[in-house]
């Protein structure tokens, strides 16, 4: 049953199929479920290459009340039941989406390869943006150099002054069409930028 005000847009993620089946049996039999059981369900990064992963629709998990989240945190069987419901919701396909538009089961190895390919595509797209910005900044610097008298220090391109160490993320700007548009992540200001010692 969907939570009041639940999203009608599916939100897919992958879980370990064998762990989900084990949790189904435990919940149905009223056996004890531990937090470690639920963590193993979602630990797809650590799954063996041959482990089968299956998609689930977690929209109802995302629309839970704060009280329901607290209850799931202290009662792993409740959290496990929400993943079982997510698998049922995926199987039901209430929107009637064509199978070609829905995620499919795959091994953990294939899932990792797709994740790497996806990240590589995002990085190459953003690398092109950075290169374009750097060339524009270098072009602006060259124009400024022409106006400066001999012996004056030349302008440093913006790209050369960028901080290279990683910074914590402050915000993520999501564009309207998240399926085709990249997500832009802006780092939070460093301590020196905030004026902290």
């Amino acid at each position: 049953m969907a939570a009041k005000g639940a999203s009608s847009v599916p939100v897919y993620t992958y879980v370990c199929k064998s762990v989900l089946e084990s949790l189904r049996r435990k919940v149905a039999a009223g056996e004890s479920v531990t937090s470690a059981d639920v963590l193993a369900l979602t630990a797809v990064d650590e799954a063996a290459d041959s482990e089968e992963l299956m998609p689930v629709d977690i929209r109802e998990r995302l629309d839970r009340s704060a009280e329901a989240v607290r209850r799931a945190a202290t009662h792993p069987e409740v959290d496990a039941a929400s993943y079982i419901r997510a698998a049922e919701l995926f199987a039901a396909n209430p929107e009637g989406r064509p199978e070609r538009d829905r995620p499919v089961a795959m091994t953990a190895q294939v899932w990792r390869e797709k994740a790497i390919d996806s990240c590589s595509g995002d990085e190459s797209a953003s690398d092109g943006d950075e290169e374009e910005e750097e060339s524009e900044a270098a072009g602006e610097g060259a124009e400024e150099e022409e106006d400066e008298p001999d012996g004056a220090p030349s302008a440093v391109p913006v790209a050369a002054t960028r901080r290279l160490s990683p910074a914590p993320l402050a915000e993520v700007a999501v564009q309207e069409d998240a399926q085709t548009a990249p997500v832009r992540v802006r780092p939070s200001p460093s301590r020196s930028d905030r004026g902290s010692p």
Side-chain angles (χ1 to χ4, degrees):
M1 171 166 62
K4 183 179 179 183
S7 172
S8 62
V9 177
V11 180
Y12 303 122
T13 192
Y14 280 88
V15 297
C16 297
K17 182 178 180 179
S18 62
V19 178
L20 181 66
E21 290 170 354
S22 171
L23 287 174
R24 273 191 177 132
R25 286 189 297 275
K26 284 183 174 185
V27 169
E31 295 177 19
S32 175
V33 175
T34 66
S35 295
D37 293 333
V38 178
L39 286 174
L41 177 68
T42 59
V44 295
D45 286 327
E46 292 84 31
D49 285 347
S50 61
E51 175 78 36
E52 187 171 352
L53 305 181
M54 64 178 290
V56 294
D57 183 349
I58 61 169
R59 74 177 100 173
E60 290 178 3
R61 281 183 53 83
L62 299 176
D63 286 334
R64 295 182 293 181
S65 69
E67 180 58 35
V69 172
R70 275 192 292 278
R71 183 159 159 60
T74 58
H75 297 86
E77 65 279 359
V78 172
D79 208 17
S82 71
Y83 277 106
I84 294 167
R85 171 65 185 140
E88 292 167 354
L89 187 59
F90 178 81
N93 189 12
E95 294 78 28
R97 288 183 180 232
E99 288 301 314
R100 70 178 181 280
D101 294 342
R102 301 178 73 216
V104 296
M106 62 183 73
T107 64
Q109 180 179 8
V110 171
W111 180 85
R112 282 189 277 275
E113 289 168 358
K114 287 182 178 251
I116 289 170
D117 290 345
S118 175
C119 289
S120 297
D122 291 346
E123 288 175 6
S124 63
S126 65
D127 288 347
D129 292 344
E130 288 176 14
E131 290 172 10
E132 185 178 310
E133 289 173 10
E134 289 173 7
S135 66
E136 287 176 8
E140 290 170 8
E143 291 170 7
E144 290 175 15
E145 288 176 16
E146 293 172 6
D147 297 337
E148 295 173 0
D150 289 337
S154 62
V156 178
V158 174
T161 62
R162 287 190 185 146
R163 190 173 141 206
L164 298 178
S165 62
L169 301 179
E171 63 183 86
V172 177
V174 180
Q175 297 180 6
E176 285 185 30
D177 188 1
Q179 297 231 352
T180 58
V183 174
R184 300 283 185 205
V185 178
R186 290 181 238 149
S188 64
S190 67
R191 289 181 184 219
S192 61
D193 293 342
R194 286 185 246 147
S196 299

